[in-house]
Amino acid sequence: TQFQFSSHKEELIIGDIFVRIYNRQPSFPLKDVRKFVTTLLDHLGSHAQYLHTVKAISFPNDPNVVIDENRQTIMKECLMALINLIKNNSGIEEYFVGSFRIIFSFLRLNQCRDIQALVLELIMCLATNKSCLNDISISQVIINLVLMLNFDNEKINKSMIHFKIPVIICLIFGLIVSGCIVCLFAYLFI
C-alpha cells in the first residue's frame, strides 16, 4: 500500500501532479512535461485496455459498454490535461507518436460523447504535426474516426457537430500533405 493523505484521497494524481488543479491552471510551467505526457498516456492506456476487455467479454450480449462515472471523469481529466499541455507547451506533439491506437480507441465509446469530443479536440491539436500524421496513418486508426462520425447521426450532440467538420478537414489535409491519403481512401471504399 502507498501512503496517502486523507485530503488527497479523491484527487487524481499522475506523475506527482494533481490533474484537476493542473487543468484549472494549465499555463503553470512544469518541470518535466515529457514525463507528465507519457504518464497520462500510460494511464489512458490502462483505461483503454480495461474498456477493450469489458467490451470483448460483453459483446455478444451487449455491444454498448457501460462506463462508471468515476472512470469517465478520470478519462476526461486526463484528456483535458493532454489538450492543455499541447496548447501551453510548444513542440511536445512528438511525445504522442506511438500512442494513437490508444487515443483513437476512445472514439469507439459512442455512449460517451464528452470523451469523444475531448479526443477530437486532442486530435485536432496533434493533426498539425507531420510526425503525428504519419503515425496516425501507420497506426491504421482512421477507421475509428470514420465509424464515430457515421454512428447514429441523430444522437450526436451539439458539441460533436462543432468538431466533425474541422477534424475531417484537418486530418484529410494533413494526410494529403504527408502523402498518407491512400490509407484514408482504403478505409472509406474497401
Side-chain angles (χ1 to χ4, degrees):
T1 60
Q2 185 178 354
F3 175 77
Q4 191 174 34
F5 290 103
S6 59
S7 61
H8 299 164
K9 185 172 65 172
E10 300 297 320
E11 288 289 337
L12 176 61
I13 304 170
I14 296 179
D16 298 328
I17 295 173
F18 291 78
V19 178
R20 181 183 56 83
I21 295 171
Y22 173 75
N23 283 335
R24 287 186 181 167
Q25 301 172 345
S27 61
F28 184 83
L30 299 175
K31 290 181 184 177
D32 193 354
V33 175
R34 174 178 237 148
K35 179 183 174 191
F36 190 41
V37 169
T38 55
T39 52
L40 282 167
L41 289 170
D42 287 344
H43 197 74
L44 282 172
S46 67
H47 286 287
Q49 181 64 38
Y50 167 80
L51 294 172
H52 177 73
T53 303
V54 169
K55 202 168 194 171
I57 291 171
S58 64
F59 177 70
N61 300 327
D62 185 13
N64 294 320
V65 177
V66 177
I67 304 168
D68 63 277
E69 287 294 320
N70 185 43
R71 188 172 295 273
Q72 284 186 42
T73 302
I74 290 171
M75 289 188 293
K76 289 176 195 175
E77 286 183 15
C78 289
L79 288 165
M80 195 68 231
L82 289 171
I83 293 165
N84 288 331
L85 282 164
I86 293 169
K87 289 180 178 179
N88 292 290
N89 299 280
S90 62
I92 67 165
E93 294 85 1
E94 300 284 330
Y95 303 159
F96 290 83
V97 172
S99 301
F100 287 104
R101 286 188 184 272
I102 293 168
I103 294 168
F104 274 75
S105 71
F106 291 110
L107 292 176
R108 296 186 303 200
L109 299 175
N110 293 319
Q111 68 278 16
C112 301
R113 296 296 182 186
D114 294 341
I115 291 173
Q116 285 181 326
L118 287 169
V119 170
L120 289 175
E121 186 176 352
L122 179 62
I123 292 168
M124 280 180 44
C125 293
L126 294 169
T128 59
N129 181 282
K130 186 171 181 165
S131 296
C132 290
L133 288 172
N134 285 334
D135 194 49
I136 288 169
S137 74
I138 290 168
S139 300
Q140 301 179 348
V141 292
I142 297 294
I143 190 66
N144 292 329
L145 177 64
V146 172
L147 290 173
M148 189 233 31
L149 295 173
N150 194 29
F151 178 79
D152 202 0
N153 290 330
E154 293 175 10
K155 290 185 179 179
I156 293 177
N157 65 25
K158 292 176 185 171
S159 68
M160 295 298 287
I161 292 169
H162 170 71
F163 286 109
K164 282 179 89 169
I165 302 304
V167 169
I168 292 171
I169 291 170
C170 191
L171 274 175
I172 289 176
F173 179 73
L175 291 171
I176 289 171
V177 168
S178 68
C180 304
I181 195 65
V182 174
C183 176
L184 177 64
F185 285 121
Y187 282 125
L188 291 175
F189 298 114
I190 293 179

